[in-house]
């Protein structure tokens, strides 16, 4: 009996790297379509917000698995030693000064202003952002100037596979530095890319990661179903989950602003988001989100020296204005961050 | 095929079995021939069509075998000799008509059904033995052994049909249909009656039971006429130690086995060309003269079982016999026979200890071939649009993520069940059955079934058997995506035309029936995409898959072989060695390992993908799957200009 | 009518779908029939153009009609348009004296293209065939055909080689006459060249 088992165990080839990614992330529904695994090889494909692997791969090791921010133990759990907001050098309220951003950006327009400045000042040669793609599903986009940044401005709440564009940019024979704007999962993916021993291009060229606060994200198909049920005609120009107690999902389309009750949206939330404890993109250089109670302002968390440098240059160039954040608002942000960590931890217990 | 109407009578020519069947029909004065293509039968009708002008006959490709036989029966009713030819599966399609036709009877013109069975399933989804239709419908059955005999039997069959006024079945097999040997053509028949149907004449099965008796009487009459004919014969000693009873090609295998073993003085061979009804008198005589009987027939024990049954009736006067064949395990119950298999059977019965070759040699050869001759799985041709279609389906079903199914059907695209089609097809049975299965799957939603369903069907199969399934799905509002893989040919069987191409068997133009219009007339949403454009096809497939109800996507691109004959493909493919990542490509030489086109191979020594210039046709599809952009499609005309 | 090298003379013509093996068997059959021999040509097709292994059999006799299948391990010669296919048929039709003429150009099976199986190294394959036959002709037919501008001519080159091997009771002129019955005049120049090249390969 035991010999037989040993023999069958010996005969079974170890699972391929792709199979492990499928078994641990994609098949259980934990994939959040961040795009970290996309564009590295032809096996993983992205279509209408879904990541899939149509064919079997026969390699035992590979970056698709190594880089995935959703693989268990990849950092979505609580990290008490760093505090509930992760590494923090400074926290500001900020808004962009350029009038042209008005109405096209989220809150204070800080992300667009920072990305545009980084390109204009030559800190980076290219930025990877998220814009509307086919079927109303968002997709990654590579831009190299201010106009490109503005064209992609605004948050689109659906799985976008954005980091595929980053991987593709890194695969090209070029030396310029890259900036990426992403959700907490994508910031984690980007951090893993930069630190992977088999991905020297990422370590060398990934110059700036701007993270976005995120409570949860929607699947592209789920969002389409939500909109269809609410009678909102795509394409979505902007979308947002305003901080509590709003209790709504806001979408702006050509027809104007619509508010959809949160309970109508829950079914469309990516299951993988429920295991994520990172509200503020803790692995980014700069993290940007809403400033509670202050429409027209962003909260900016400075986490690294290079993040601080970009922010300082933006202020020096007159592109950004900074303000001291209200203490109560920061407390609420910490509460929200702690709440997301706790929910993720509970979710993991549930999963176990 | 070729026009065989002008052959010189009396001059031996090398003729394929199917051509000999066609020639026999022409010499018998056939006027009307209809068929649906299907290997191994296809060349019969094509030869008749090519000879139609020379012989002054009518030949058509019908939409299916039932229609073909019905059309032929009409000619028979009006006094013309007529025939329908089909493969074994086609007999099933025609069976409902056959089982009623036999009661009503054929008309004054002889009516012959030729079935070409496929022992070994060389080009079929099954190896069904269609001889059972003769027993089921009480029809006379003839089994030729050689092309020359096939010619003679066709003439006999038409006479017999007119004698008994019923359908006569001639059964060939692949090894006859696709065998060439010397045949001496005779004279073509001259003159034919002017067809007419007396309006007072009613041809029907009613009243069925009394007419059933008429049918039995006709079969008995046929039995007498067949016994008097030249197709059953015996060779061997008067009292053989072993009697082999054989039909079809097995007659020749048995003769060769006797020769190989040198047992001509010990073993007798009873050749049966007329296998239903069996010649009881002849069989009783030969059973009485031996104690051991070996049956040699393909595939099922048709003669074996009926001879045993006959023996049971007459056992008291015949004495104890031993029977060898499929029941005893002396011949295989499945697959083909061969001279060697029969030699082994005879050797076993007579305890001869025969060995075809030194066992040491055999062992070395088996080992060597086993170790080095890698299996050669069939696959789509280079440039085949089906490879591209299945590629897109595979990608889209994966990203769709709802465990989608593909219901298959019959044609080249049946190979979607194999690795060439990425094993993407979940079921295949017979012509049109994929649509019925999808129709059923498409109604399971109410029970919680939530897997999307794609039903694939070829353009020729669409007209043969898909329409009732489609109408059923439309009527009952079944939920599935119908994908018509339209390569504008009945490619699997030799590029015969069909209603969608509008071309007739004669090569002349008929009325084209447009698949799109048919679907739209049923109220179906119907889109068209070009499978060579992988991105556009994937988009169209994905969007169609998200819809509900029955909807249609036509993936249209002409068969690569047809394209090859009519100007070829537009590109010369090339791999940029600077860009090809070889073994290190993303995930391990994706193009050859996954896409698997015979024209794109991996050069081990070079460590890179290379185009096999002998095989590649230049369709350009693989350039779309290379993640490194290393595969280049260079326009041939621009190259020529430069 | 000349004596046959063996009675019956049984030739297996094998290869891969699309290589023109059925055509080669028909040409041979016609040429032999025209010289008064009894000929049976068995063809296996249906999936013949779809990359699978395809075999025809040409059986020649001065006696009665032969069946479509050569008896197991009784072939006189194996003519193969692809080297691996020559080895594949040896367990079924070979014996220590069988003569093998094979094109040396490999066509990779799908499993090899996909990396799931290996194509044997040509010298190893050649040695394995050599060990299982009485005489081996290892011929660059496709290479020569490509020099003539059409790889499909490898089948006619193989017929030329067969004619020069002394196995047949007929020669190249009889094969050429059969080709001329089947091909239009404008294709005959290339066919004649191919026949000549095949003969030179064996001479």
């Amino acid at each position: 009996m035991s010999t037989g088992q040993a023999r069958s165990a010996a005969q079974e080839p170890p699972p391929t790297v792709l199979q492990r990614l499928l078994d641990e992330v994609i098949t259980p529904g934990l994939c959040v379509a961040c795009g970290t695994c996309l564009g590295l090889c032809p096996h993983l494909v992205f279509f209408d917000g879904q990541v899939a692997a149509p064919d079997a791969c026969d390699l035992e090791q590979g970056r698709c698995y190594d880089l995935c921010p959703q693989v268990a133990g990849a950092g979505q759990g609580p990290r008490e030693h760093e505090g509930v907001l992760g590494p923090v050098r400074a926290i500001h309220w900020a808004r962009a000064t350029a009038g042209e951003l008005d109405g096209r950006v989220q809150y204070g327009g800080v992300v667009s202003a920072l990305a545009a400045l980084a390109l204009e000042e030559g800190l980076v040669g290219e930025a990877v952002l998220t814009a509307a793609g086919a079927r109303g599903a968002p997709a990654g986009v590579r831009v190299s100037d201010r106009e490109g940044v503005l064209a992609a401005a605004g948050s689109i709440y659906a799985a976008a596979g954005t980091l595929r564009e980053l991987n593709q940019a890194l695969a090209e024979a070029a030396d310029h530095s890259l900036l990426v704007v992403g959700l907490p999962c994508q910031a984690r993916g980007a951090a893993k890319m930069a630190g992977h021993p088999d991905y020297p291009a990422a370590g060398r060229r990934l110059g700036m990661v701007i993270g976005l606060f995120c409570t949860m994200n929607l699947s592209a198909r789920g969002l389409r179903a939500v909109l269809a049920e609410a009678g909102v005609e795509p394409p979505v120009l902007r979308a947002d989950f305003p901080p509590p107690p709003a209790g709504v999902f806001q979408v702006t389309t050509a027809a104007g602003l619509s508010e959809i009750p949160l309970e109508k949206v829950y079914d469309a939330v990516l299951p993988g988001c429920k295991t994520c404890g990172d509200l503020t993109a803790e692995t980014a250089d700069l993290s940007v989100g809403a400033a509670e109670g202050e429409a027209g302002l962003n909260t900016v968390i400075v986490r690294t020296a290079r993040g601080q440098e970009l922010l300082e240059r933006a202020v020096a160039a007159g592109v950004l204005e900074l303000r001291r954040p209200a203490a109560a608002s920061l407390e609420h942000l910490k509460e929200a961050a702690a709440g997301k960590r706790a929910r993720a931890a509970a979710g993991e217990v549930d999963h176990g | 095929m070729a026009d065989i109407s002008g052959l010189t009578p009396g001059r031996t020519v090398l003729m394929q079995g199917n051509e000999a069947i066609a020639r026999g029909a022409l010499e018998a004065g056939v006027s009307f021939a209809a068929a649906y293509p299907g290997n191994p039968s296809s060349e019969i009708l094509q030869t008749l069509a090519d000879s139609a002008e020379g012989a002054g006959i009518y030949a058509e490709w019908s939409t299916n075998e039932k229609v073909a036989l019905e059309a032929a029966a009409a000619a028979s009713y009006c006094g013309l000799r007529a025939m329908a030819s089909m493969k074994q599966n086609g007999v099933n399609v025609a069976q409902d008509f056959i089982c009623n036709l036999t009661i009503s009877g054929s008309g004054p013109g002889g009516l012959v059904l030729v079935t070409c069975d496929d022992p070994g399933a060389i080009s079929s989804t099954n190896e069904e033995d269609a001889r059972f239709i003769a027993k089921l419908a009480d029809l006379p059955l003839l089994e030729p052994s050689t092309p020359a005999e096939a010619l003679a039997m066709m003439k006999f069959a038409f006479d017999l049909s007119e004698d008994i006024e019923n359908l006569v079945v001639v059964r060939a097999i692949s090894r006859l249909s696709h065998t060439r040997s010397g045949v001496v053509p005779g004279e073509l028949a001259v003159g034919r009656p002017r067809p007419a149907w007396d309006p007072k004449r009613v041809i029907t099965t009613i009243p069925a039971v009394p007419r059933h008796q008429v049918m039995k009487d006709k079969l008995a009459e046929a039995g007498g006429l067949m016994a008097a004919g030249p197709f059953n014969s015996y060779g061997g000693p008067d009292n053989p130690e072993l009697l082999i009873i054989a039909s079809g090609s097995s007659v020749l295998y048995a003769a060769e086995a006797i020769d190989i073993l040198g047992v001509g003085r010990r073993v007798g061979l009873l050749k049966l060309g007329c296998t239903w009804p069996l010649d009881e008198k002849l069989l009783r005589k030969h059973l009485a003269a031996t104690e051991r009987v070996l049956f040699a027939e393909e595939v099922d024990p048709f003669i074996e079982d009926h001879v045993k049954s006959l023996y049971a009736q007459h056992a008291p006067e015949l004495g104890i016999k031993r029977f060898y064949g499929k029941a005893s395990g002396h011949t295989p119950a499945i697959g083909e026979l061969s001279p060697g298999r029969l030699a082994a059977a005879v050797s076993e019965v007579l305890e001869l200890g025969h060995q075809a070759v030194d066992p040491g040699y055999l062992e070395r050869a088996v080992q060597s071939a086993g170790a080095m001759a890698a299996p050669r799985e069939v696959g789509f041709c280079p440039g085949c649009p089906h490879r591209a279609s299945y590629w897109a389906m595979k990608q889209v079903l994966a990203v769709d993520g709802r465990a989608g199914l593909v219901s298959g059907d019959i044609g080249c695209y049946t190979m979607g069940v194999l690795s060439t089609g990425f094993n993407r097809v979940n079921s295949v049975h017979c012509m049109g059955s994929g649509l019925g299965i999808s129709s059923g799957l498409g109604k399971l939603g109410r029970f919680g079934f939530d897997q999307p369903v794609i039903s694939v069907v070829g353009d020729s199969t669409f007209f043969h058997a898909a329409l009732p399934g489609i109408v059923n799905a439309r009527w009952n509002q079944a939920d599935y995506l119908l994908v018509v893989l339209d390569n504008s040919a009945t490619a699997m069987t030799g590029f015969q035309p069909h209603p969608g191409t509008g071309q007739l068997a004669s090569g002349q133009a008929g009325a084209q029936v447009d698949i799109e219009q048919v679907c739209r007339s049923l109220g179906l949403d119907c889109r068209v995409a070009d499978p060579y454009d992988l991105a556009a096809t994937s988009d169209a497939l994905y969007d169609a898959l998200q819809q509900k109800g029955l909807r249609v996507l036509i993936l249209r691109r002409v068969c690569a072989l047809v394209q090859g004959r009519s100007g070829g493909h537009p590109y010369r493919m090339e791999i940029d060695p600077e860009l090809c990542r070889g073994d290190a490509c993303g995930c391990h030489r994706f193009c050859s390992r996954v896409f698997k086109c015979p024209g794109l191979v991996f050069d081990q020594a070079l460590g890179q993908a290379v185009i096999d210039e002998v095989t590649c046709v230049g369709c350009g599809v693989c350039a779309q799957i290379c993640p490194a952009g290393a595969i280049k499609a260079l326009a041939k005309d621009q190259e020529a200009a430069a | 009518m000349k004596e046959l090298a063996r009675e019956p003379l049984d030739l297996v013509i094998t290869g891969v779908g699309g290589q023109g093996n059925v055509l080669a068997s028909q040409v041979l059959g016609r040429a032999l029939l025209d010289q008064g021999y009894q000929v049976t040509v068995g063809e296996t097709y249906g999936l013949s153009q779809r990359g699978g292994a395809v075999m025809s059999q040409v059986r020649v006799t001065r006696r009665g009609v032969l069946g479509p299948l050569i008896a197991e391990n009784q072939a006189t010669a194996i003519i193969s348009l692809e080297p691996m296919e020559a080895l594949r048929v040896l367990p079924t039709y070979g014996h220590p004296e069988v003569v093998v003429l094979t094109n040396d150009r490999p066509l990779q099976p799908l499993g090899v293209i996909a990396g799931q199986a290996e194509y044997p190294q040509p010298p190893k394959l050649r040695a394995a065939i050599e060990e299982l036959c009485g005489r081996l002709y290892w011929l660059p037919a496709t290479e020569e055909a490509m020099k003539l501008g059409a790889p499909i001519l490898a089948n006619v080159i193989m017929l030329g080689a067969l004619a020069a091997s002394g196995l047949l009771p007929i020669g190249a002129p009889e094969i050429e006459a059969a080709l001329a019955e089947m091909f239009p005049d404008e294709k005959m120049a290339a066919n004649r060249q191919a026949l000549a090249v095949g003969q030179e390969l064996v001479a």
Side-chain angles (χ1 to χ4, degrees):
Chain A
M1 193 80 162
S2 62
T3 353
Q5 280 171 350
R7 196 183 305 126
S8 77
Q11 280 169 353
E12 263 196 25
T16 64
V17 63
L18 183 59
Q19 195 58 47
R20 281 185 283 149
L21 186 67
L22 286 168
D23 290 348
E24 295 178 29
V25 180
I26 297 178
T27 309
L30 296 180
C31 174
V32 290
C34 62
T36 313
C37 64
L38 299 171
L40 295 168
C41 91
H43 275 295
L44 284 151
V45 298
F46 181 70
F47 200 94
D48 196 27
Q50 311 286 314
V51 175
D55 306 288
C57 148
D58 64 353
L59 299 183
E60 285 178 34
Q61 296 297 326
R63 292 175 297 184
C64 59
Y65 179 87
D66 293 353
L67 300 180
C68 177
Q70 290 294 93
V71 166
Q76 64 263 54
R79 288 182 300 182
E80 295 300 339
H81 62 284
E82 279 178 341
V84 76
L85 297 180
V88 176
R89 294 170 79 109
I91 302 183
H92 308 281
W93 276 356
R95 76 176 179 90
T97 54
E100 64 191 22
L101 295 179
D102 288 350
R104 299 173 64 171
V105 297
Q106 206 85 13
Y107 308 113
V110 168
V111 172
S112 299
L114 288 170
L117 182 86
L119 286 169
E120 279 180 345
E121 302 227 332
L123 293 175
V124 296
E126 230 179 333
V128 174
L129 310 172
T130 300
R135 295 175 184 78
V141 60
R142 285 163 65 181
V143 303
S144 52
D145 56 24
R146 184 182 186 83
E147 283 65 42
V149 172
L150 294 180
S155 295
I156 298 159
Y157 265 83
T162 309
L163 295 196
R164 173 173 62 174
E165 303 304 319
L166 184 59
N167 281 321
Q168 284 177 347
L170 289 169
E172 289 168 10
D175 281 326
H176 61 259
S177 189
L178 297 160
L179 175 149
V180 62
V181 177
L183 300 171
C185 50
Q186 291 167 326
R188 279 201 306 284
K192 291 177 95 175
M193 286 158 73
H196 196 282
D198 294 335
Y199 209 170
R204 199 174 67 245
R205 295 181 56 202
L206 191 50
M208 183 68 60
V209 178
I210 299 179
L212 304 172
F213 294 3
C214 175
T215 48
M216 57 193 169
N217 198 2
L218 307 181
S219 74
R221 286 198 291 202
L223 173 61
R224 206 157 45 227
V226 165
L227 297 178
E229 201 194 317
V232 177
E233 188 73 26
V236 173
L237 303 175
R238 277 187 286 127
D240 188 29
F241 289 104
V248 292
F249 176 55
Q250 293 179 335
V251 280
T252 306
T253 63
L257 179 76
S258 308
E259 295 198 332
I260 300 169
L262 272 187
E263 62 268 20
K264 300 260 185 201
V265 178
Y266 282 135
D267 279 352
V269 173
L270 289 162
C273 293
K274 294 168 187 166
T275 67
C276 172
D278 183 359
L279 178 80
T280 59
E282 297 172 28
T283 56
D285 293 302
L286 290 166
S287 296
V288 183
E292 190 204 63
E294 294 289 332
L297 285 179
N298 284 123
T299 299
V300 179
I301 304 176
V302 184
R303 301 190 184 278
T304 65
R306 66 187 189 187
Q308 180 155 359
E309 189 199 338
L310 175 60
L311 190 74
E312 283 168 1
R313 286 176 80 146
V315 171
V319 175
L320 284 189
E321 292 173 357
L322 301 185
R323 281 168 57 185
R324 179 188 295 274
S329 168
L330 279 187
E331 281 313 306
H332 286 153
L333 181 62
K334 284 180 182 168
E335 277 169 28
K340 191 173 180 191
R341 283 188 177 188
R343 283 195 304 277
E348 284 192 346
V349 169
D350 282 350
H351 278 285
Chain B
M1 305 315 105
D3 180 356
I4 56 165
S5 66
L7 294 176
T8 312
R11 184 172 163 240
T12 308
V13 285
L14 192 65
M15 202 181 264
Q16 194 193 43
N18 280 343
E19 290 170 346
I21 288 169
R23 177 70 192 187
L26 291 178
E27 292 180 16
V30 74
S31 293
F32 192 109
Y36 181 81
N39 284 333
S41 74
S42 309
E43 297 86 357
I44 299 172
L45 192 278
Q46 195 59 59
T47 301
L48 288 168
D50 293 345
S51 309
E53 209 180 311
I57 67 159
Y58 174 73
E60 75 169 32
W61 288 121
S62 307
T63 48
N64 68 35
E65 294 85 351
K66 180 167 175 277
V67 172
L69 183 60
E70 288 158 349
S76 162
Y77 295 142
C78 294
L80 297 176
R81 289 194 162 189
M83 66 181 283
S85 49
M86 56 198 66
K87 69 183 295 177
Q88 78 277 8
N89 309 68
V91 176
N92 302 331
V93 176
Q95 182 172 314
D96 199 6
F97 181 62
I98 294 171
C99 289
N100 286 286
L101 168 68
T102 186
I103 301 179
S104 71
S106 59
L111 182 62
V112 175
L113 183 156
V114 180
T115 170
C116 297
D117 292 5
D118 193 15
I122 296 161
S123 55
S124 302
T125 54
N126 69 22
E127 58 170 355
E128 178 182 334
D129 190 331
R131 290 181 297 175
F132 288 93
I133 192 69
K135 170 154 186 169
L136 180 71
D138 285 318
L139 297 170
L141 175 68
L142 297 160
E143 287 189 65
S145 297
T146 63
E149 191 180 36
L151 187 153
M153 272 188 184
M154 285 303 289
K155 292 158 83 167
F156 182 85
F158 278 104
D159 288 342
L160 181 62
S161 171
E162 285 176 10
D163 286 336
I164 65 166
E165 288 215 356
N166 204 357
L167 180 67
V168 172
V169 181
V170 175
R171 186 245 196 176
I173 56 167
S174 298
R175 296 290 178 202
L176 172 74
S177 288
H178 290 170
T179 285
R180 285 168 202 277
S181 62
V183 171
V184 186
E187 298 285 347
L188 290 191
V190 285
R192 62 172 55 81
R194 183 168 180 277
W197 184 329
D198 177 355
K200 289 194 277 299
R201 186 176 179 203
V202 176
I203 303 172
T204 178
T205 63
I206 300 164
V209 175
R211 291 207 60 82
H212 192 184
Q213 185 58 52
V214 174
M215 174 181 91
K216 296 275 182 200
D217 296 344
K218 285 179 179 179
L219 187 68
E221 186 191 348
L225 292 165
M226 289 160 90
F231 302 119
N232 297 340
S233 60
Y234 176 76
D238 291 342
N239 291 97
E241 288 176 51
L242 174 69
L243 174 70
I244 305 178
I245 302 178
S247 71
S249 297
S250 303
V251 172
L252 298 163
Y253 304 153
E256 196 148 347
I258 293 169
D259 215 31
I260 289 168
L261 298 171
V263 291
R265 290 164 190 273
R266 300 170 66 187
V267 179
L269 175 56
L270 179 59
K271 169 196 177 296
L272 295 183
C274 306
T275 47
W276 195 255
L278 289 171
D279 184 345
E280 296 197 2
K281 211 175 126 201
L282 179 74
L283 285 163
R284 286 215 309 274
K285 183 182 114 188
H286 286 284
L287 286 175
T290 189
E291 286 176 3
R292 292 187 282 193
V293 180
L294 170 67
F295 298 96
E297 60 183 322
E298 297 167 316
V299 176
D300 289 327
F302 182 81
I303 300 171
E304 178 175 338
D305 287 352
H306 291 120
V307 169
K308 284 177 176 173
S309 163
L310 171 74
Y311 167 75
Q313 282 288 332
H314 301 278
E317 68 258 29
L318 290 171
I320 291 172
K321 309 290 171 195
R322 284 182 192 280
F323 293 104
Y324 305 96
K326 298 188 186 277
S328 70
H330 285 76
T331 58
I334 57 171
E336 294 190 272
L337 287 180
S338 68
R341 284 187 194 117
L342 282 177
V346 173
S347 170
E348 196 183 337
V349 173
L350 297 181
E351 296 176 2
L352 301 173
H354 168 73
Q355 278 168 342
V357 69
D358 165 49
Y361 175 90
L362 197 59
E363 196 181 315
R364 291 200 313 278
V366 167
Q367 208 217 340
S368 215
M372 275 191 251
R376 204 174 275 282
E377 190 185 336
V378 294
F380 295 127
C381 302
C384 178
H386 296 325
R387 181 182 292 102
S389 293
Y390 280 121
W391 181 272
M393 264 182 260
K394 156 181 81 76
Q395 301 290 106
V396 162
L397 286 167
V399 294
D400 177 78
R402 292 177 290 166
L405 298 173
V406 179
S407 180
D409 224 294
I410 302 297
C412 286
Y413 57 98
T414 300
M415 289 190 283
V417 297
L418 304 177
S419 79
T420 191
F422 317 106
N423 307 101
R424 197 41 272 198
V425 170
N426 294 92
S427 81
V428 169
H429 295 88
C430 63
M431 295 287 287
S433 62
L435 286 294
I437 285 172
S438 299
S439 215
L441 290 171
K443 292 307 295 182
L444 299 182
R446 68 192 57 212
F447 304 114
F449 182 80
D450 58 2
Q451 298 169 257
V453 175
I454 294 177
S455 207
V456 293
V457 70
D459 40 341
S460 191
T461 306
F462 181 88
F463 295 106
H464 175 284
L467 283 169
I470 295 171
V471 174
N472 185 65
R474 172 66 176 154
W475 176 31
N476 288 302
Q477 296 171 286
D479 177 20
Y480 71 88
L481 169 61
L482 173 62
V483 172
V484 182
L485 299 171
D486 181 356
N487 62 357
S488 306
T490 316
M492 188 61 131
T493 52
F495 320 107
Q496 293 82 1
H498 60 68
T501 69
Q503 203 194 350
L504 300 174
S506 62
Q508 288 160 341
Q512 189 178 9
V513 184
D514 188 282
I515 294 176
E516 246 173 290
Q517 277 184 26
V518 170
C519 292
R520 296 212 166 106
S521 75
L522 293 170
L524 299 172
D525 181 52
C526 182
R527 318 254 160 137
V528 184
D530 173 6
Y532 275 6
D533 184 342
L534 292 179
T537 297
S538 298
D539 273 334
L541 270 169
Y542 183 85
D543 288 338
L545 203 60
Q546 310 313 309
Q547 310 296 314
K548 285 276 170 205
L550 176 61
R551 61 277 188 201
V552 185
L553 176 64
I554 299 173
L555 297 181
R556 183 176 291 149
R557 171 59 75 159
V558 71
C559 166
L561 295 177
V562 173
Q563 183 66 44
R565 293 169 182 191
S566 54
H569 289 77
Y571 302 113
R572 188 176 66 77
M573 305 306 294
E574 193 178 86
I575 291 180
D576 184 340
E578 298 290 311
L579 293 176
C580 175
R581 301 170 190 158
D583 256 328
C585 173
C587 284
H588 202 185
R589 53 190 180 106
F590 183 73
C591 57
S592 50
R593 194 171 56 79
V594 182
F595 187 65
K596 286 197 280 253
C597 173
L600 176 62
V601 298
F602 194 80
D603 187 320
Q604 296 281 4
L606 205 61
Q608 283 195 323
V610 290
I611 299 293
D612 183 337
E613 55 192 294
V614 173
T615 310
C616 173
V617 298
C619 71
V621 173
C622 60
Q624 301 167 54
I625 63 134
C626 175
I631 307 177
K632 309 281 188 197
L634 309 168
K636 280 179 192 162
D637 53 355
Q638 282 178 24
E639 284 198 315
Chain C
M1 227 192 327
K2 273 202 228 165
E3 284 281 332
L4 293 171
R6 203 177 140 118
E7 175 65 54
L9 185 77
D10 280 333
L11 308 173
V12 171
I13 305 184
T14 188
V16 178
Q19 287 193 299
N21 119 1
V22 169
L23 183 90
S25 68
Q26 284 182 27
V27 169
L28 210 49
R30 273 188 188 229
L32 288 156
L33 186 93
D34 288 346
Q35 298 306 309
Y37 295 93
Q38 289 268 14
V39 181
T40 302
V41 182
E43 300 160 0
T44 309
Y45 62 89
L47 293 168
S48 59
Q49 288 183 294
R50 280 85 191 172
V54 178
M55 194 196 322
S56 317
Q57 307 195 341
V58 179
R59 311 195 66 194
V60 194
T61 177
R62 309 212 302 172
R63 308 202 296 242
V65 179
L66 292 166
L69 286 177
I70 294 172
E72 283 84 340
N73 302 101
Q74 300 294 322
T76 312
I78 291 164
I79 297 99
S80 184
L81 298 168
E82 203 278 352
M84 187 194 273
E85 294 315 307
L87 179 60
R88 192 188 309 283
V89 299
L90 278 166
T92 314
Y93 293 102
H95 52 86
E97 291 81 42
V98 69
V99 179
V100 175
L101 297 91
T102 186
N103 181 9
D104 69 0
R105 163 82 177 213
L107 276 178
Q108 295 193 3
L110 279 185
V112 172
I113 290 174
Q116 290 149 352
E118 271 187 34
Y119 199 99
Q121 289 300 314
K124 242 185 105 187
L125 182 58
R126 181 176 179 164
I129 297 171
E130 207 143 34
E131 197 267 328
L132 292 167
C133 71
R135 197 166 14 132
L136 171 65
Y137 297 93
W138 184 265
L139 308 167
T142 297
E143 199 183 312
E144 292 295 330
M146 287 172 76
K147 285 186 203 159
L148 298 178
I152 189 68
L153 286 171
N155 61 351
V156 180
I157 290 177
M158 292 302 292
L159 288 181
L162 177 64
S165 72
L167 284 164
L168 298 179
I170 58 169
E174 287 77 23
I175 294 176
E176 189 187 316
L179 279 165
E181 288 176 38
M182 299 175 69
F183 282 96
D185 286 348
E186 66 266 22
K187 298 228 167 152
M188 279 310 292
N191 278 324
R192 264 182 223 111
Q193 263 183 309
L195 269 182
V197 167
Q199 291 176 80
E200 283 161 27
L201 287 180
V202 164

